[in-house]
Amino acid sequence: MSTLADILTHEHRRCDDLFAQAESAVANGDLETARRDFGEFERSMNRHFDFEEQVLFPAIETAMGPGMGPVQVMRLEHDQMRALFCDMALALAAGDKQRYLGLSETLLILMQQHNMKEEHILYRLAGELLGDREQELLTRLGGQ
Amino acid sequence: MSATGLQLDQAPPLSVPLRFFLTAPLFGVLAAVLLFWHGPTGLASRWTPTMLAFTHLLTLGFLTSAMLGALLQMLPVLAGAPVARPRLVSGVVHGLLTTGTLALVTGFLAPGTGAFPVALLLLGPGLALFVGVALECLWRAPIGDSTARTMGIALVGLAITVALGIGLGVGARTGAQSSWTGVHIGWGLLGWVAMLIGGVAWQVVPMFQLTPPYPAWLRRAYAPVLFFTLLGLSAALLLAPGRLAEKFFGAAIAAALALFAGITLLRQRQRRRRLPDVTLAFWRLAMTSLLAAVLLWLAGAAEIVRGERLAFLYGVLFLLGFAASAVHGMLYKIVPFLLWLHLQRKNIRGTLPNMKELLPDRRTRPHLWVHVAAIAAAVLACLVPAPFTYLAAALLLLSFGWLEWNLLAAVRRYRRLIRAHAHVA
């Protein structure tokens, strides 16, 4: 049976694929494909963020007590990534290839070090803290 | 796993890693100037004062500085355990490492000036402090994955190298030398440098280029295999020099390094991110050089190739080709990312530059070719010092100077933005 950590990690990899697709479309100058791929990437990322922010993080905070530092930093990084999505969408709309590629380089590093922290630390911590509630969260993830 | 003490801070203060990154290339510049100054006679043997000073400027001054800066930056992200009192630790370690390296080089070049004991008194405590703090941090870490373990073992490798170096330094005055030098070099290059680059690679190669992860067996086995074969090699060098045991352990180390380099190159071929990337190019150069160094060493050990200058070639391929290239690749990603991250924290209104606007490809791309030319000239200088030493020194000067210039340009851009913002606010 897949754990919550497995599923969320798998979502990270899928988003990575979408990211790479959009980026290479931009690099090849195929802006139409790029807009479609980027749209799909952004939607997948936002879905993932929404689950974490509305379901997973509150569950961790409930289990650990409020003012939990790690969750705060994860939320901050989500916001930083959302701001980059915005800038990337603007660059794409303006057809500014160089700006998009500079932004996507920045997003990639931010996103990867964020994923690393979640996969290595937060998801494992969640698995231990949540215990029986994990099943409930999995159901909510499936229902999204 | 315990949540107590778990922190996922984004990053330590900017100055903590940056002071290491900004002074590292300056030691490369110094190494090039030294080579220029002393010319081909400095390359008469591996043990001339020039070569000892040159190699320590590269290994301690350039590589170790950059590697300590990167560790201070990566430990919180990897292990969820930030270094305690980062500003103080970084300031003290950086001060002791830079002054200690300068004193050591002075000690090699001008024996009898009293610089040598000063160097040992600065470097010993400085590096011991770093190893202690970093190991304590890894020990506290809620997570121990393959990278954290490899880093921990690399830190032990650094401690052994430093202890052996101090022993040699003290012994130099009493005349004790020989095979202990080989053991010191082995731990420094393999137990510290190649070990840490391995641990970093498990994370950053998949992360920067979206490659499949390294095979789990390699990530698990690399560090312990390298560590124990190095122990075996050390024993062989000290107890039974020139016997079969030495070649056996040497071949085992060669196999571990070749697997690491080969698998990295394969993973990079399988990358999902297919854009041209300067870090990727530097890392491919690094891995190709490591493979070349290993193959050449094997050919030398099997006596297929012979020559007293072979050891110079291993050194150039390993230090400049492999380790320095990997560090260049890392710096060109870490520094602009950190500047960007810290700009985010300043709440500056308006459009902020992204990583490529802070450090554009037009600055880093040409540097790659200068670096390649410097390595090629250094290889030629190993074989025929007379005509090529000056060319190698000039290109090394240009290459390390270029690195420093690029990093400073990005930092200047960052500072200008902060100042302009302070003006408005």
Side-chain angles (χ1 to χ4, degrees), chain B residues 317-332:
Chain B
L317 287 172
F318 188 95
L319 281 178
L320 291 172
F322 163 59
S325 302
V327 166
H328 277 69
M330 282 296 288
L331 287 174
Y332 278 155

Side-chain angles (χ1 to χ4, degrees), chain B residues 92-350:
Chain B
V92 171
V93 172
H94 180 262
L96 292 172
L97 176 64
T98 45
T99 51
T101 304
L102 291 174
L104 183 69
V105 168
T106 313
F108 283 131
L109 294 174
T113 51
F116 219 90
V118 174
L120 303 186
L121 286 172
L122 293 168
L123 288 170
L127 291 168
L129 172 67
F130 183 87
V131 170
V133 166
L135 280 180
E136 189 270 336
C137 162
L138 284 169
W139 186 260
R140 254 188 309 122
I143 292 296
D145 71 339
S146 58
T147 289
R149 261 196 309 276
T150 310
M151 282 179 173
I153 298 178
L155 286 163
V156 175
L158 174 62
I160 295 175
T161 311
V162 175
L164 288 166
I166 291 175
L168 284 167
V170 173
R173 295 160 67 198
T174 57
Q177 274 290 335
S178 71
S179 32
W180 285 100
T181 314
V183 178
H184 167 70
I185 297 172
W187 281 98
L189 298 188
L190 308 168
W192 164 233
V193 175
M195 190 84 78
L196 189 76
I197 293 179
V200 169
W202 313 152
Q203 291 303 329
V204 302
V205 168
M207 173 173 161
F208 291 158
Q209 304 307 328
L210 302 178
T211 73
Y214 281 85
W217 59 265
L218 182 69
R219 280 182 290 158
R220 264 201 300 272
Y222 179 74
V225 165
L226 207 50
F227 188 86
F228 286 109
T229 43
L230 263 171
L231 276 184
L233 180 67
S234 308
L237 280 170
L238 295 172
L239 304 174
R243 302 269 185 79
L244 196 62
E246 200 180 305
K247 289 201 172 160
F248 168 78
F249 287 114
I253 291 170
L257 295 178
L259 275 173
F260 165 52
I263 291 176
T264 304
L265 288 169
L266 281 178
R267 282 294 180 264
Q268 286 168 333
R269 280 174 70 105
Q270 297 166 311
R271 71 194 186 282
R272 283 171 291 162
R273 192 179 191 225
R274 305 218 63 97
L275 301 187
D277 181 86
V278 79
T279 294
L280 173 70
F282 272 111
W283 271 66
R284 286 180 146 174
L285 174 64
M287 295 305 145
T288 312
S289 302
L290 180 57
L291 265 185
V294 167
L295 290 176
L296 194 65
W297 181 86
L298 285 171
E303 299 186 18
I304 297 167
V305 288
R306 289 195 186 87
E308 51 189 284
R309 305 202 67 83
L310 268 180
F312 275 94
L313 270 183
Y314 308 150
V316 165
L317 287 172
F318 188 95
L319 281 178
L320 291 172
F322 163 59
S325 302
V327 166
H328 277 69
M330 282 296 288
L331 287 174
Y332 278 155
K333 279 271 192 277
I334 299 186
V335 171
F337 178 69
L338 285 182
L339 295 175
W340 178 84
L341 197 62
H342 285 273
L343 274 180
Q344 297 296 308
R345 293 179 167 187
K346 304 281 177 187
N347 289 322
I348 299 176
R349 250 175 272 161

Side-chain angles (χ1 to χ4, degrees), chain A residues 113-126:
Chain A
Q113 59 98 40
H114 173 83
N115 291 353
M116 199 198 295
K117 285 188 277 196
E118 287 190 340
E119 289 165 25
H120 284 213
I121 303 169
L122 204 73
Y123 294 165
R124 293 199 213 176
L125 177 72

Side-chain angles (χ1 to χ4, degrees), chain B residues 333-396:
Chain B
K333 279 271 192 277
I334 299 186
V335 171
F337 178 69
L338 285 182
L339 295 175
W340 178 84
L341 197 62
H342 285 273
L343 274 180
Q344 297 296 308
R345 293 179 167 187
K346 304 281 177 187
N347 289 322
I348 299 176
R349 250 175 272 161
T351 313
L352 289 175
N354 58 51
M355 276 171 69
K356 290 224 165 149
E357 286 160 348
L358 284 162
L359 188 53
D361 285 345
R362 68 182 147 74
R363 282 180 172 277
T364 51
R365 280 255 143 220
H367 179 202
L368 172 71
W369 296 110
V370 174
H371 178 68
V372 170
I375 297 169
V379 165
L380 290 172
C382 291
L383 301 172
V384 210
F388 291 112
T389 303
Y390 291 110
L391 178 67
L395 285 167
L396 284 172

